């Protein structure tokens, strides 16, 4: 520990140095009644990350580096879309100009270039690990690129705002806040860039917002969460619908959603989710037919004893069938109205 204190002084790790010095003083003067016959080489001190102040822990330190890199990132309004133009532009972004951020790679998104760090991108995402491993081939034979210029990769079909949020998660393992309008793009980015834990982080940030949205919006989030496999959002929406089923049944958006989902399996032998006894814990890993899962949650919330569950399930299926018929009629009426409006315009 004394050697480690000396290393902290040289490396200017002041917070860690203070913690270690405090423990050394404690060990020097404390009476180790249980360890009186044990020599010092057998004593152990366990230092946890939470012992350090919040500002000196790894996520906060990486966040500071990210902020410096974002400040140093150049926003260009007239970037060429060809590779040669991109490389010549990046040639001006040399390592020596921005020593504070220690960036060693550039990522171009839309018309903005971000200065990033290969070790962070590659360690958090298998996608970036594969891209960066092939980066030498991308830059091969480019004579206009100086030795100390940063290499650059380009990402498509992604907004600047979504990429900022994505690298915030990659650097800090969390998100301070998120715009609900960005959530869908973040789910898509998490799937594309193989950042599956990012879905859970976005879901955690989104849940407080969902408590205040309308039934129509919850229908949208259910379809979205089922598409991207976001279990927490999917379960929240299904729970809300099962506990307030008639409220949702009265909304046109819910009825229209029923037409976009696979129909529930009527025969219990064909169900994608097995019926459970009242109060039994449902498996959080088994995701099946959305309407089957909605039925099971409704049965848990509303149905009677176990011997009446099959009858209740049949009643629920008939109610869904009736709502689908109403939705079909509403869709037909809507198409006829649109056709009439177009005819009047002609």
């Amino acid at each position: 520990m004394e050697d480690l204190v000396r290393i902290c002084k040289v490396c200017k790790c002041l917070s860690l140095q203070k913690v270690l010095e405090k423990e050394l003083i404690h060990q020097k003067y404390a009476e180790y009644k249980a360890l009186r016959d044990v020599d010092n080489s057998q004593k152990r001190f366990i230092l946890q990350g939470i012992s350090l102040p919040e500002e000196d822990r790894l996520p906060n330190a990486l966040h500071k580096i990210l902020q410096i890199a974002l400040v140093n990132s150049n926003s260009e309004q007239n970037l060429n879309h060809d590779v040669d133009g991109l490389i010549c532009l990046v040639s001006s972004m040399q390592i020596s100009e921005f020593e504070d951020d220690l960036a060693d790679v550039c990522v171009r998104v839309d018309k903005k270039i971000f200065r990033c760090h290969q070790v962070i991108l590659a360690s958090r995402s298998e996608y970036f690990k594969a891209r960066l491993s092939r980066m030498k081939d991308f830059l091969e034979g480019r004579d206009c690129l100086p030795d100390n210029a940063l290499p650059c990769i380009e990402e498509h079909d992604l907004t600047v705002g979504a990429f900022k949020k994505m690298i915030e998660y990659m650097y800090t393992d969390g998100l301070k806040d998120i715009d609900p309008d960005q959530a869908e793009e973040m789910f898509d980015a998490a799937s594309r860039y193989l950042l599956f834990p990012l879905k859970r982080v976005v879901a955690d940030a989104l849940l407080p917002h969902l408590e205040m949205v309308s039934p129509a919006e919850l229908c949208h989030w259910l379809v979205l969460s089922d598409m991207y496999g976001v279990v927490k959002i999917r379960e929240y929406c299904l729970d809300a619908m099962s506990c307030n089923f008639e409220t949702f049944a009265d909304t046109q958006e819910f009825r229209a959603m029923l037409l976009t989902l696979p129909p529930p399996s009527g025969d219990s032998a064909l169900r994608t989710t097995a019926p459970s006894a009242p109060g039994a814990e449902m498996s959080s890993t088994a995701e099946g037919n959305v309407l089957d899962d909605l039925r099971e949650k409704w049965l848990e919330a509303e149905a009677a004893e176990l011997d009446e569950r099959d009858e209740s399930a049949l009643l629920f299926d008939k109610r869904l069938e009736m709502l689908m018929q109403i939705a079909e009629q509403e869709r037909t009426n809507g198409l006829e109205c649109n056709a009439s409006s177009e005819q009047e315009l002609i």
Side-chain angles (χ1 to χ4, degrees), residues 275-281 296 299-309:
S276 56
E281 184 176 353
E296 295 304 320
L299 288 173
E300 284 192 348
E302 303 291 341
E305 298 301 325
L306 185 61
D307 56 349
E308 299 179 21
R309 283 171 63 82

Side-chain angles (χ1 to χ4, degrees), residues 33 37 67 78 84 114 147 151 153 163 221 225-226 235 257 277 282 298 325 330 337-338:
K33 296 181 180 179
D37 299 328
Q67 292 305 309
N78 297 305
D84 290 321
F114 292 89
D147 294 337
I153 58 178
F163 185 77
W221 287 113
S225 60
D226 186 63
E235 291 296 300
M257 179 192 72
M282 295 185 65
W298 181 84
Q325 291 174 354
E330 290 172 340
C337 290
N338 290 337

Side-chain angles (χ1 to χ4, degrees), residues 204-217:
D204 289 338
L206 194 61
L207 279 175
H209 166 76
L210 295 184
E211 294 176 359
M212 299 176 288
V213 302
S214 64
E217 285 189 69

Side-chain angles (χ1 to χ4, degrees), residues 128 162-170 186 189 193 195:
F128 278 112
F163 185 77
K164 279 185 177 180
K165 284 296 177 184
M166 188 174 77
I167 59 176
E168 178 187 342
Y169 165 75
M170 294 174 75
M186 295 304 299
Y193 293 96
L195 290 166

Side-chain angles (χ1 to χ4, degrees), residues 178-191:
I178 185 170
D179 185 345
D181 294 334
Q182 277 188 317
E184 182 173 355
E185 187 176 14
M186 295 304 299
F187 290 146
D188 182 65
S191 298

Side-chain angles (χ1 to χ4, degrees), residues 144-156:
C144 70
L145 192 65
D147 294 337
N148 61 343
L150 294 184
C152 188
I153 58 178
E154 187 172 7
E155 295 301 322
H156 302 279

Side-chain angles (χ1 to χ4, degrees), residues 34-45:
L35 298 175
R36 283 178 176 174
D37 299 328
V38 179
D39 61 274
N40 287 332
S41 65
Q42 293 177 280
K43 293 178 182 178
R44 295 291 182 266
F45 170 58

